[in-house]
Structure formats: C-alpha cells, structure tokens
Amino acid sequence: MALRAWREFRRGWQPGHAPALVVIPLGLIVAVCVVDVLAPPRIHLGPLLVAAPAITVAFAGARVTALMGALAVTAQVLIGVLREGLSSANIQAQITALVVVSAVCVGICVVRDRSERQLYRVRSVAEAAQSVLLQPLPARSGPLRISGLYVPAEEEADLGGDLYAAARTDHHSTRLLIGDVRGNGLASISNSALLLGAFRAAAHRQATLPRLAVHLDAAFRWDTSQWRSSSEEDTDEDFATAILLDIPDHEPVVHLINCGHPPPLLLRGTHVTPLTPEVSHLPIGLGGAFGIAAYDVQTFPFEVGDLLLLYTDGVIEARNSGGLFYPFSERAPAWARDDPDELLRALHDDLLAHVHGHLDDDAAAVAIRRLAL
C-alpha cells in the first residue's frame, strides 16, 4: 500500500501527469528570447536561460531535462545570431556555461532516478515483509466484523513495535492479540515478528487463554534471552504489553487477559465502558515464569451491536503541539454506529489531525463489531 502511494505521488510530478509544470521552463525560454532580442544592446538576459533546465530537474526525469537544456542552448544560439553573432566571446561563454549547467542537471536526474528505483525495490521488499508479519485481519470471523489499523511513527516505515493478529479456534470462537513491544527499530520489529509467530502457531491449539499466555511468554523470554550473558539480562530487558481475547460465537461475552496493556473500550450506543480487569498481569516476557495459575481470565458482556476497540498507547499518548494527549475515549462515541472500517478511517484522520501529521510513536487499533449469527 505504501509503495503504491509513493508511486502515485511520483507519477503526479511527471510531465505526462502535470503538463502545466512543463510550461514554466518553456515559457521562460520564450520570454527570455523575445525580451533579449527586443531589448537595447546593453541589456543581456541570455544568462537567465540557465534557469530552464534547473527548474525542470524539480519535476521531470533526465530526458525532459535534457530536452529543456537543448532548447535553452538553441535559444541562446538564436539570440547570439540575432544580436552579436556567434563569434562574440560573450555569446560563446554563455553557450558553453549553459551546456555545462544542462549536462550537470541531466546528471543529477540520472543519479536521482537511480536512487528512486533502488528505493522502490527496497520499499517493495518492506511491503512484502509487512504483509507476512502483520497480516491483514479477517473482515469476518463468525458473528464478528473486524478491522485493523496500523500507523507508523516513521514516514517511510511499514512495521514497528505495535502488532495485532487473529486466529479461529475449533471450539467456535475468535482469538485476538494486540500488543506493543518495548523499544523501537530493528530490535522491536524482530520481537514483534517473534510474538506474532508464536501466537499464530499456538492460538488455535492452546485450550485456554492462560495456557496461551504462558506459551507466548515462554517463547518470547527464551528467544530474546538465549544468547545473552547474565550481565546483559540485568540491563536490557525485552517485553511486550499485550491483551489476549477469546470471543465465543454463541455467548455474548468476551474473555480477556490483560498483560500491562491499555484496557479495551466497549461502545454500546454512545456509552463507552473501559474493560478494566481486576488484575493487570505483567507484560509478556516478564510474567509467565509464575505459571498458568498466575493468569486470571476476566469476562465482560459483549452483545449483538456492541463495538469493541483495542488500541496501543501510541493512540492515547499522541500529543498535539500544545502537549495535550489525544482524547480517544471522548472521540470514540461519535463513531459508535460506524462500520469497523469506517471507524478506523475516521480515527486515522482525526489522530493525524490532532498531532499535525507527525506521530512520536507507532499506533495501532482494532475495531470489532458483534453481529447476529
């Protein structure tokens, strides 16, 4: 998706898609020719022709830039013939300078276009990696309508420390995970991939949510610590806040285990209820050593027509220029009747408007609507 958006952006700045931009250097060449030929002998506007290829670099490729350079040189030769003759040292110097500048502009275009092609290839690989790691959520699972949103803090990033996933079980329920891995950069992406892989491998097999939580914690702790020395373990802990949910098809409830993550919001009409558990467990990577008994499953009503919102702290901790946090729980009721896809689109636009287009942390959200079977 990001790659397609980038290509659309680039195509919008090419001459075939923005012909009005080509008129600028063409108009400049014509205007300089006319004025210079008609102006008194002491006035020389020919040096301004160098602006034509320089302007073209901003929106066109090497071929169009070379064409504008050639037209500018031709115009300079025409001015010389009509005014002083090509034998004039001044005209020869201007033509030479224009040829050199045009060649430099074309060289800049060639280097830039090569870099952009490399960027396309890199971003296509990143997009493929994103589709593998952060797979799209199913639009429908049993009686549930589901939609996910991921907004990276880095403009050119497609994946970070925030994650979500869903799995279908044999006992007619849907299990979901939303989490936020500590840190950023490649380490957080690696740990996100680890947690997502462990969830997808076990979510449909583990009989209970506590067993699934223990499995995720054990897999996370083992993989992130197996190559460390004891001194490194004391100074560099890896963990992830997360919520595990199990939503049965035939019961109007949601079961969840909260591992240090912001509580989900339940929207019933315009009423918002945070699903705050009695006990919030330690994050994944820190708490599973205590065993299955350490995890308490909390059960909350989740009836037909209700909407459940899961999110990471990148949503509620997003600050505007005045330092104010994004008022998610206050804004959410306005979208309570929307389809999950529409709700998350509204959230995306409103969140970016709040922070003026720049997030300091990755943000993710999942919207789940229960429908009648």
Side-chain angles (χ1 to χ4, degrees):
M1 291 182 292
L3 181 61
R4 288 194 296 270
W6 174 255
R7 285 174 175 168
E8 289 298 327
F9 175 80
R10 284 293 304 144
R11 280 198 292 266
W13 284 85
Q14 293 175 357
H17 293 261
L21 295 179
V22 181
V23 172
I24 297 175
L26 285 176
L28 177 63
I29 292 173
V30 173
V32 170
C33 281
V34 172
V35 175
D36 204 317
V37 170
L38 299 178
R42 66 179 182 276
I43 297 177
H44 299 278
L45 299 181
L48 292 178
L49 289 171
V50 74
I55 291 173
T56 309
V57 171
F59 62 85
R63 292 182 180 180
V64 178
T65 301
L67 175 61
M68 290 301 162
L71 291 176
V73 171
T74 302
Q76 184 65 72
V77 171
L78 178 61
I79 291 173
V81 170
L82 295 177
R83 299 199 60 174
E84 303 176 36
L86 296 181
S87 60
S88 168
N90 181 45
I91 291 296
Q92 292 176 357
Q94 291 182 26
I95 293 174
T96 302
L98 190 52
V99 170
V100 171
V101 171
S102 298
V104 170
C105 290
V106 172
I108 292 174
C109 284
V110 171
V111 173
R112 182 195 62 196
D113 291 346
R114 183 183 297 116
S115 299
E116 289 183 349
R117 286 194 295 269
Q118 292 175 347
L119 177 61
Y120 291 158
R121 289 193 290 268
V122 170
R123 290 194 62 81
S124 65
V125 172
E127 189 176 42
Q130 181 196 27
S131 65
V132 171
L133 296 179
L134 195 63
Q135 298 176 1
L137 294 173
R140 186 72 183 259
S141 177
L144 307 179
R145 285 289 304 274
I146 306 173
S147 183
L149 169 69
Y150 177 78
V151 186
E154 297 294 335
E155 184 177 356
E156 297 299 326
D158 286 318
L159 185 65
D162 290 7
L163 56 96
Y164 50 70
R168 188 73 179 157
T169 69
D170 292 336
H171 53 276
H172 304 292
S173 72
T174 302
R175 284 182 174 170
L176 295 108
L177 163 71
I178 187 166
D180 185 358
V181 175
R182 171 185 178 268
N184 49 44
L186 292 177
S188 68
I189 294 175
S190 175
N191 289 337
S192 295
L194 166 65
L195 193 55
L196 287 168
F199 175 83
R200 290 176 184 137
H204 64 287
R205 294 191 294 108
Q206 299 296 335
T208 64
L209 280 184
R211 288 185 180 276
L212 178 58
V214 170
H215 171 82
L216 296 182
D217 186 272
F220 193 88
R221 284 188 294 111
W222 172 254
D223 194 89
T224 56
S225 63
Q226 61 178 321
W227 305 118
R228 291 179 181 167
S229 65
S230 58
S231 60
E232 288 177 324
E233 289 180 0
D234 291 336
T235 59
D236 188 17
E237 288 183 327
D238 289 309
F239 62 85
T241 64
I243 291 181
L244 291 169
L245 301 97
D246 188 277
I247 306 176
D249 291 351
H250 302 285
E251 296 181 66
V253 296
V254 54
H255 308 293
L256 67 85
I257 293 177
N258 191 323
C259 299
H261 200 78
L265 298 180
L266 178 69
L267 276 66
R268 181 170 295 164
T270 58
H271 183 67
V272 180
T273 303
L275 302 187
T276 306
E278 297 177 0
V279 178
S280 183
H281 303 288
L282 292 174
I284 299 294
L286 301 178
F290 301 105
I292 296 173
Y295 288 105
D296 294 324
V297 177
Q298 303 289 309
T299 300
F300 298 92
F302 185 38
E303 301 176 356
V304 173
D306 288 353
L307 185 69
L308 191 61
L309 289 177
L310 316 176
Y311 54 94
T312 61
D313 59 9
V315 175
I316 58 175
E317 293 180 2
R319 296 173 182 262
N320 62 12
S321 56
L324 298 177
F325 290 114
Y326 179 67
F328 185 42
S329 59
E330 298 174 12
R331 303 283 177 86
W335 310 316
R337 299 187 183 277
D338 292 346
D339 179 83
D341 289 332
E342 296 174 355
L343 185 150
L344 292 185
R345 280 195 292 269
L347 170 61
H348 174 270
D349 295 343
D350 196 50
L351 180 63
L352 291 183
H354 179 78
V355 298
H356 304 291
H358 178 71
L359 284 171
D360 293 327
D361 191 13
D362 298 338
V366 176
I368 308 163
R369 170 91 64 188
R370 180 185 281 278
L371 305 175
L373 277 173

